[in-house]
Structures are given as C-alpha cells and as structure tokens.
Amino acid sequence: MKDFDEWLNIHTYGDQKGFHKSFHYYRYEPTPYEGLEKLFSEYTLKSSDRLVDFGCGKGRLPFYIHHTFRASAAGVEMNEYFYREAMENHRTYKGEKSGISFHCILAQEYEITPLDTHFYFFNPFSVQIFMKVVNNILRSAEGNPRKMDIILYYPSEDYLFYLENSTSFELIKEVALKGDENERFLVYRFNQTFD
C-alpha cells in the first residue's frame, strides 16, 4: 500500500503522548490509511462537498479527502501543538491548498457553514460535547436545508444512542474493517431538502 504521507508530502503519523487533563477530550490517534481506503472504496464524496473533521489532529483526513475527491475540507482541533502540525502540513502539502483550512478552537465553538455537508468523528471527545456539535449541525440546517452526513469511526455506544434516539439522522451505511467488531465506520444521514 502506498504511503500517503510521503505521497502528499505531509507528516501525520504518531499518537499523542500523555493525555489531556479533561475527561471530555480524548487522545489523538489518526484514522489508519487502510481504513480510509476501505471506507472511500464504498462511500464517495463529490467535489462540491465539504467535510469537517472534528479532532483533526495533524490533518490526515482533510488532506486525504481533498486529494482523493477534490472536495474541500476543514479540520477543527483544540490542541495547539496538533494545530501547528496541521498548519505545517498545509504549508508542505503537494496539492491545491485553498480547499483546506484548519481551526484551533473547541469543537462546539466551530460555526457550521452552509457549505459544510459531511462531519467526521473518531471519538475525539465525550458524548456531552458530541451532542452540542450535532445540535450546531442541525441548527445550521434550519436556515440552509441540505443533505448532511455524519461519519463515525470506531463509534462509541453513547454517540450511537444519541444519534438514533434524539436526532433525525438515520444510519445509511456500515463499513466493517478487519479486527474487533467496533472497528468500523458508520454513516448517518440527515436529508432535509426541498427538491
């Protein structure tokens, strides 16, 4: 398998050393490229889509999405060290840089734009914060109705319970990976359009 970091001229490997002091925020670990390859062999984006990666770390997914689909992407990262790493990757990235942006803020403070259509979570924080972010996503649809997908990797039971019991998002796809039963992607869709 090709090494995407080398191919894209970025550096996203490595896990977080130590843990964040708050129990609401979890350690950084990038989604494996093998997993991304499997997910996006069964689920595609259009170049008009915009993905927001909550807890983006060093930016692996935004660069991968942009390179693979020419879709725009935003990374939201509260950790200043990882944000700086993502910005350095942005500087060295081989592709067109204008479609990728990074924001060093808390996830619940990111303002969902009408262009944001896909939202990615690899268990970056507690369900309390996840609920606030999902409510922001749904609020953005009130003024700008559109189809929106939430993509979960290694989904927590709390996230699933909340989405399935307290929101209008519906499960549309599951992509299982080799490993334990939790090693999978789930895609939930909110489809509010007037066409």
Side-chain angles (χ1 to χ4, degrees):
M1 152 138 193
K2 59 189 170 191
D3 185 332
F4 278 98
D5 266 26
E6 192 175 312
W7 176 255
L8 302 176
N9 200 31
I10 59 175
H11 302 283
T12 62
Y13 283 97
D15 296 343
Q16 182 173 339
K17 307 291 187 258
F19 292 88
H20 195 271
K21 291 178 177 59
S22 168
F23 70 89
H24 281 293
Y25 300 96
Y26 306 149
R27 66 194 298 266
Y28 166 68
E29 181 183 345
T31 305
Y33 280 121
E34 295 84 358
L36 295 176
E37 291 273 270
K38 175 94 166 101
L39 170 65
F40 291 113
S41 70
E42 299 183 25
Y43 172 80
T44 61
L45 300 180
K46 301 188 299 278
S47 61
S48 58
D49 289 330
R50 178 173 156 91
L51 180 137
V52 181
D53 180 4
F54 288 98
C56 71
K58 300 175 184 180
R60 176 177 291 183
L61 183 61
F63 293 113
Y64 180 91
I65 289 298
H66 184 264
H67 173 77
T68 305
F69 299 107
R70 298 291 174 249
S72 60
V76 177
E77 178 55 57
M78 60 160 268
N79 182 301
E80 288 185 26
Y81 169 77
F82 290 129
Y83 169 75
R84 286 194 302 273
E85 292 280 307
M87 292 304 292
E88 176 60 16
N89 283 328
H90 189 267
R91 189 185 68 75
T92 62
Y93 174 57
K94 282 195 334 193
E96 172 57 47
K97 300 174 190 337
S98 63
I100 302 172
S101 62
F102 293 100
H103 308 269
C104 188
I105 54 173
L106 297 174
Q108 63 271 32
E109 293 174 2
Y110 173 78
E111 190 170 334
I112 308 295
T113 77
L115 299 175
D116 296 336
T117 56
H118 294 71
F119 306 92
Y120 184 84
F121 301 86
F122 176 7
N123 289 328
F125 33 67
S126 69
V127 69
Q128 289 85 359
I129 293 174
F130 180 70
M131 290 164 63
K132 290 177 184 174
V133 174
V134 171
N135 284 331
N136 290 343
I137 292 168
L138 291 170
R139 205 170 300 115
S140 81
E142 292 172 7
N144 296 280
R146 62 198 184 276
K147 180 180 78 175
M148 298 183 298
D149 288 358
I150 286 179
I151 305 165
L152 304 175
Y153 175 56
Y154 242 96
S156 79
E157 291 301 319
D158 289 343
Y159 280 27
L160 300 183
F161 185 86
Y162 174 70
L163 280 180
E164 292 173 2
N165 293 287
S166 301
T167 75
S168 303
F169 280 93
E170 295 179 0
L171 181 65
I172 62 157
K173 183 149 209 62
E174 177 174 354
V175 178
L177 303 175
K178 292 181 181 146
D180 69 56
E181 62 195 33
N182 293 319
E183 196 172 349
R184 60 191 173 143
F185 293 94
L186 296 178
V187 181
Y188 284 82
R189 177 162 293 167
F190 176 80
N191 203 354
Q192 182 186 29
T193 55
F194 298 113
D195 30 55

